[in-house]
């Protein structure tokens, strides 16, 4: 397929991008991120795989406490918390939650208290897993951290914690797991606007955008942003937890709510929501061979760090789909690096590394 970009198309795209910027500007936002994050080619990886040219959108470089995708969501969520007069943030996640770590840092920046509930979803007793990596950083940022057993109703736990704090005169604000609600998803609507500007600046036509999808806010924001720009970029989420049907439904529901919040009568097409959940392995947060190989390959070809729970499994999916020809006929595929490298220190024994002495 050859697409020639005419001046009219460019004008139309510019108009849509400006409209999107205007729609987003109505929402309060705290600037936490080092934005725009870089968009870089991964030429050694592309050469190694022999498929389309691969690029990386460096949302691992958002800057807040070692970065990651939650920073963009927190720009809108924490602004909302401030507007509501909150003095205390409550959130939840898995033990090695990157979301919890970035939330703890954001709360510290705004001088708010932060309570984090960590659900034991893996059953690991490795002290690196339970104390190092993100857990170390949560505590360094001054958050109060407490554990819950796997399968606990974490929303109910957050509600009861909030009720207790309210009765002590505090004003708590609950951020759902992963920061995934329509307000948080605005961060990834904003990322689409940013990426469109970046691609246009360097004359890059992006064919596909691939990323790890979990609590669904990232993908819902991306779907919504791409719809607003009437973009034909092929978006693919690589699942890290739920089966495909469930993941796609979660993303679709949240994208529709995000579009409604954005408020320009935007329609979300169900067929734009695509998840491939074949790379989860035995379960959320549990290592797979494919993830280990992908993380090592990127560390060794591109000098980039990916994480065991999300971006490493996302990469495993990207690499395998390149090999299977999923992107055949496409020229430029961007992998959105959602961060998470702090979690590597919680998974020290996972990577069968060579001996040293
Ligand atoms: C949370 C997270 C994701 C998934 O984003 P969702 O918005 O929860 O789907 C991907 N990668 C990393 C590193 C994350 O921390």
């Amino acid at each position: 397929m050859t697409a020639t970009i005419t001046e009219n198309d460019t004008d139309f795209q510019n108009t849509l991008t400006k409209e999107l910027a205007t729609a987003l500007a109505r929402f309060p936002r705290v600037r936490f991120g080092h934005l725009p994050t870089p968009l870089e080619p991964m030429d050694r990886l592309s050469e190694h795989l022999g498929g389309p040219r691969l690029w990386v959108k460096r949302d691992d470089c958002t800057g807040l406490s070692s970065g990651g995708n939650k920073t963009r969501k927190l720009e809108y969520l924490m602004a909302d918390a401030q507007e509501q007069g909150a003095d205390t943030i409550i959130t939840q996640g898995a033990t090695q939650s990157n979301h919890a770590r970035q939330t703890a840092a954001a709360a510290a920046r705004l001088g708010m208290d932060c309570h984090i509930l960590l659900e034991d979803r893996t059953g690991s007793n490795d002290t690196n897993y339970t104390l190092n990596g993100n857990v170390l950083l949560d505590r360094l940022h001054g958050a109060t951290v407490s554990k819950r057993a796997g399968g606990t109703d974490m929303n109910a736990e957050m509600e009861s914690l909030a009720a207790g704090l309210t009765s002590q005169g505090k004003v708590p604000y609950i951020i759902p797991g992963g920061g995934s609600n329509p307000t948080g998803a605005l961060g990834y609507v904003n990322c689409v606007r940013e990426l469109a500007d970046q691609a246009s600046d360097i004359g890059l036509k992006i064919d596909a955008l691939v990323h790890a999808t979990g609590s669904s806010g990232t993908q819902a924001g991306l779907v919504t942003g791409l719809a607003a720009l009437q973009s034909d970029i092929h978006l693919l989420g690589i699942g890290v937890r739920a089966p495909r049907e469930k993941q796609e439904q979660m993303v679709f529901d949240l994208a529709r709510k995000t579009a409604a919040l954005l408020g320009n009568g935007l329609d979300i097409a169900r067929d734009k929501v695509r998840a491939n959940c074949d790379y989860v392995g035995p379960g959320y947060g549990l290592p797979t061979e494919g993830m280990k190989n992908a993380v090592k390959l990127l560390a060794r070809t591109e000098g980039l760090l990916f994480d065991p729970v999300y971006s490493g499994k996302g990469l495993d999916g990207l690499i395998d789909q390149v090999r299977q020809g999923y992107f055949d006929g496409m020229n430029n595929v961007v992998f959105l690096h959602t961060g998470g490298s702090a979690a590597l220190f919680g998974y020290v024994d996972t990577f069968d590394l060579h001996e040293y002495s």
Side-chain angles (χ1 to χ4, degrees), residues 69-70 73 98 180 212-218 307 310-311 338-340:
N69 64 335
K70 304 312 180 305
K73 301 177 180 183
N98 302 300
S180 287
T213 182
S215 66
S216 85
T218 302
D307 81 284
Y310 296 96
S311 60
T338 43

Side-chain angles (χ1 to χ4, degrees), residues 8-137:
N8 278 346
D9 289 342
T10 311
D11 285 348
F12 181 57
Q13 279 310 316
N14 287 343
T15 307
L16 291 178
T17 312
K18 271 189 205 131
E19 279 174 12
L20 182 55
T22 309
L24 280 168
R26 293 188 294 109
F27 297 93
R29 177 180 171 199
V30 191
R31 305 284 174 139
F32 291 127
H34 297 177
L35 307 180
T37 56
L39 174 63
E40 299 169 339
M42 296 194 286
D43 286 340
R44 291 218 337 119
L45 180 67
S46 307
E47 196 183 323
H48 178 84
L49 295 175
R53 189 170 194 202
L54 302 174
W55 298 74
V56 58
K57 172 68 174 158
R58 299 289 307 272
D59 273 17
D60 58 320
C61 297
T62 50
L64 190 65
S65 183
S66 82
N69 64 335
K70 304 312 180 305
T71 300
R72 289 187 192 270
K73 301 177 180 183
L74 287 163
E75 291 197 326
Y76 292 96
L77 290 162
M78 295 299 279
D80 188 47
Q82 276 187 319
E83 285 230 322
Q84 298 194 22
D87 55 21
T88 305
I89 301 295
I90 299 173
T91 199
Q92 61 97 4
T95 306
Q96 282 294 334
S97 167
N98 302 300
H99 162 69
R101 180 242 314 153
Q102 288 162 87
T103 303
R109 275 275 286 277
L110 299 183
M112 295 183 185
D113 290 345
C114 184
H115 291 263
I116 290 172
L117 302 180
L118 295 179
E119 180 189 359
D120 176 16
R121 291 190 204 155
T122 66
S124 170
N125 290 320
D126 180 347
T127 53
N128 282 313
Y129 185 78
T130 56
L131 291 172
N132 203 341
N134 284 303
V135 183
L136 168 69
L137 301 183

Side-chain angles (χ1 to χ4, degrees), residues 56-57 59 188 191 209-212 218 222 334-338:
V56 58
K57 172 68 174 158
D59 273 17
Y188 273 87
C191 180
L209 180 60
V210 182
H211 67 99
T218 302
L222 293 172
V334 177
F335 186 74
L336 172 69
H337 190 335
T338 43

Side-chain angles (χ1 to χ4, degrees), residues 11 17 41 45 94 117 125 152 183 217 233 237 242 256 288 345 347-348:
D11 285 348
T17 312
L45 180 67
L117 302 180
N125 290 320
T152 301
T183 301
I233 293 177
R256 286 211 294 195
T288 62
F345 305 100
Y347 284 80
V348 178

